Amino acid sequence: MNIIVCIKQVPETGNIKIDPETHTLIRSGVPSIVNPMDLYAIEEALRWKEKLDASITVMTMGPPQAQEALKEAISMGIDRGILLSDKKFAGADTYATSYTLSLAIRKLAPYGLIFCGKQAIDGDTAQVGPGIAEHLNIPHIAYVRKIEEIDQDKGIVKAQRLMEDGYESLEVQIPALLTVVKEINEPRLPSLKGKMRARKAEIPIWEATDLEKEGEDAFGLSASPTQVKTIFAPPSKAKGEIFTGEASIIAQSLLERIRAQKII
Amino acid sequence: MDYFLTEEQEMIRDLARRIAQEKILPLRVELDEKEEFPWSIMKNLAEADLFGIYLPEEYGGTSGGCFELCLVVEELSRVCAGVALCFATSALGTFPLLLFGNDQQKKKYLSAIAQGEKLVAFALTEANAGSDAGGIQTTARLEGNEYVLNGTKQWITNGGEAEIYTVIAMTDKARGSRGASAFIVEKGTPGFEFGKKEKKLGIRSSSTRELIFTDCKIPKENLLAREGMGFIVAMKTLDTSRPGIGAQAIGIAQGALDEALVYARERIQFGKPIISFQAIQHMMADMATQIEAARFLVYGAARYVDSGAKDISKISAMAKVFASDVAMKVTTDAVQILGGYGYMRDYPVEKMMRDAKITQIYEGTNQIQRNVIALQLIKEKAKGK
């Protein structure tokens, strides 16, 4: 079986800064990482690799440096990577992104399973995974917390979808797309041999001309129905007031303040 | 500082650092308190291929050497020297096999060791044979196609946890040190049992136990090298592994300096962070300088060992003695910089100080190391070098 894992390279969130003038993300000097949720998708694919005798391809759409993310996946044990990179892809929203990825996935047919992380930590939409499935016209299960069974003969996959108040057990036909949540596994670290393999790995780059699109404006910003009006950083919380002095005085001041607010 | 590592060595160091930060750091306090063997971390190290870094590719390793081992041991020790020891001891126990094993023995054991499926231990010390290894009383008697082992080994690191043991025993007591031989003994062999688990000052996540042999029969093929070679096997093994103790010591010292730096920047006294006081600055400057000097010596020794040189005893003893003395001093100073907080178990430096002490003691006390160094100086002079 061919398994495909779609991942995204994202800025490390620990130190994200927003430009106060343009209200956009300051990317320069921010290290890039594999979207943490996607590591669970990579891990789940690897766990099924042996049982399904599968070959796994990892794919991402992004600038040339996104191949580092693909190499990280290869160092964890993924067989090969494909980078979708073209200036025409730039500015894509979730619709255009999932369409572009779906075209690339079609080129890899026949495929059995597609894994994605639940969502990316930068955009936070959780739309690209299901979007790919819709463009491919295949079933999907989002928020998978456990795969119960994959039966190649019957051509089905059974999985548990995480809900706010429990989980649903669903069965869909293969080929199918699954987006996974962090409850599903614990991603492994890269191995030394994996890293050595990743260093040597050649990552093919597919451009717009490599994909069979429908219509003229198929990619990037011009094919994106989402229009971003403005991005802004929410104002940081105002500093709290700190009362000092003896306990009885503090309590008195607090009570006055609560009364002034008409809370009591 | 650039230590002129190859790309592969950088990968090894970075992987070890990542495992130390992500896997060891969250567990180290608990492992120390509970004196628990870090099996989950051994699994992480195995999955990362780090158990094979010094073993040949034909056995599933990546053909590095003593230097690659040092890089890993240093990074792990920077966070927890106890965990690092469990890893490093497997290499110590494997060196007799790697250096003196025949093809059959290597084929039988090295692949599983390289994959981290089986841990190894090295058994030399006994109750009456510490610095004076000539006092070994464990015997191995050849009976037909089997050797029969009797005796008790003491303070064996990885004891009980390891699957494979390289054991030094006397095959001919009358010949003294020339009557010792080295054997491979597998866990589970009838007549091979484990004694009490020791309670230690430091490196508490590692396991230290007695090995008790009572008419323990092992196949004749488990003899390493030839009868009478046991001491040479042991000495050569220790000469090869000693830079690793140096690396462990540097790691501990670096970890302590890291902590002291963080604390000194945050701790306010007399209205200023204490790092602004020259008394603290000079202490830290000395700590950093000593660590760097030790690191260069250890790296130099490890690279010399890997060059295939024969005369490695002196330099590897120097690396061990100097780095371990530095570790003891630096960790003591780190506790001093943290003051009362440093003495408390809420901060990691007291553990580092406890851990550092063993590096001056095991794999040959620092006093014995100085004997080795002096003996070589005398020999060299006599040879007119």
Side-chain angles (χ1 to χ4, degrees), chain B residues 219-234:
Chain B
K220 205 170 78 177
E221 296 79 51
N222 286 18
L223 172 71
L224 279 164
R226 296 188 310 274
E227 271 194 26
M229 288 273 286
F231 261 98
I232 293 168
V233 171

Side-chain angles (χ1 to χ4, degrees), chain B residues 73-346:
Chain B
V73 171
E74 179 185 347
E75 288 302 329
L76 303 183
S77 301
R78 197 166 165 178
V79 174
C80 179
V83 172
L85 178 65
C86 304
F87 168 80
T89 297
S90 203
L92 169 68
T94 306
F95 281 137
L97 250 168
L98 184 64
L99 299 171
F100 295 94
N102 57 38
D103 282 352
Q104 261 178 330
Q105 290 167 333
K106 287 184 186 176
K107 261 191 202 131
K108 186 168 176 193
Y109 296 106
L110 290 186
S111 297
I113 295 170
Q115 284 170 26
E117 282 169 16
K118 290 181 177 174
L119 291 185
V120 194
F122 179 65
L124 173 65
T125 301
E126 295 183 8
N128 297 314
S131 293
D132 179 11
I136 290 178
Q137 285 164 355
T138 297
T139 57
R141 191 175 70 243
L142 185 62
E143 279 182 12
N145 284 328
E146 290 172 323
Y147 279 100
V148 184
L149 271 63
N150 277 290
T152 301
K153 291 287 171 185
Q154 184 174 258
W155 300 334
I156 305 308
T157 309
N158 281 359
E161 311 294 338
E163 295 288 324
I164 303 162
Y165 296 78
T166 43
V167 179
I168 310 294
M170 303 303 292
T171 37
D172 187 353
K173 271 193 171 172
R175 298 191 67 202
S177 64
R178 288 185 185 166
S181 303
F183 300 93
I184 307 161
V185 186
E186 293 181 37
K187 185 178 174 178
T189 308
F192 174 23
E193 284 167 330
F194 302 105
K196 67 172 190 287
K197 190 174 167 179
E198 305 290 346
K199 292 189 169 296
K200 306 188 290 290
L201 173 71
I203 51 165
R204 286 157 54 105
S205 64
S206 70
S207 154
T208 310
R209 286 178 79 166
E210 283 177 337
L211 311 185
I212 303 162
F213 300 101
T214 317
D215 288 330
C216 171
K217 290 177 184 155
I218 56 169
K220 205 170 78 177
E221 296 79 51
N222 286 18
L223 172 71
L224 279 164
R226 296 188 310 274
E227 271 194 26
M229 288 273 286
F231 261 98
I232 293 168
V233 171
M235 292 308 123
K236 185 89 179 149
T237 290
L238 293 169
D239 283 346
T240 310
S241 70
R242 253 176 218 128
I245 302 298
Q248 185 186 29
I250 307 166
I252 298 171
Q254 184 66 55
L257 176 60
D258 295 344
E259 295 292 338
L261 262 168
V262 169
Y263 179 84
R265 282 161 55 98
E266 286 172 357
R267 174 67 168 169
I268 309 282
Q269 289 289 276
F270 306 105
K272 289 184 208 165
I274 61 168
I275 201 166
S276 62
F277 300 123
Q278 205 174 46
I280 302 289
Q281 288 175 358
H282 284 189
M283 279 175 87
M284 293 202 302
D286 284 342
M287 291 157 81
T289 307
Q290 287 156 2
I291 292 169
E292 212 60 79
R295 185 176 284 127
F296 272 95
L297 182 52
V298 168
Y299 286 10
R303 283 168 160 150
Y304 191 59
V305 168
D306 289 339
S307 74
K310 298 276 177 247
D311 56 337
I312 56 173
S313 299
K314 186 177 74 173
I315 193 74
S316 80
M318 285 172 166
K320 192 264 183 189
V321 97
F322 187 76
S324 59
D325 285 352
V326 163
M328 200 63 242
K329 174 150 194 343
V330 167
T331 52
T332 307
D333 286 350
V335 171
Q336 191 69 24
I337 288 172
L338 270 77
Y341 291 105
Y343 199 72
M344 300 300 149
R345 286 208 208 159
D346 303 327

Side-chain angles (χ1 to χ4, degrees), chain A residues 92-103:
Chain A
D93 69 355
T94 57
Y95 182 88
T97 301
S98 54
Y99 178 65
T100 308
L101 285 164
S102 75
L103 292 182

Side-chain angles (χ1 to χ4, degrees), chain A residues 18-29:
Chain A
I18 304 284
D19 187 320
E21 299 280 307
T22 61
H23 303 302
T24 54
L25 206 64
I26 302 173
R27 280 180 184 265
S28 62

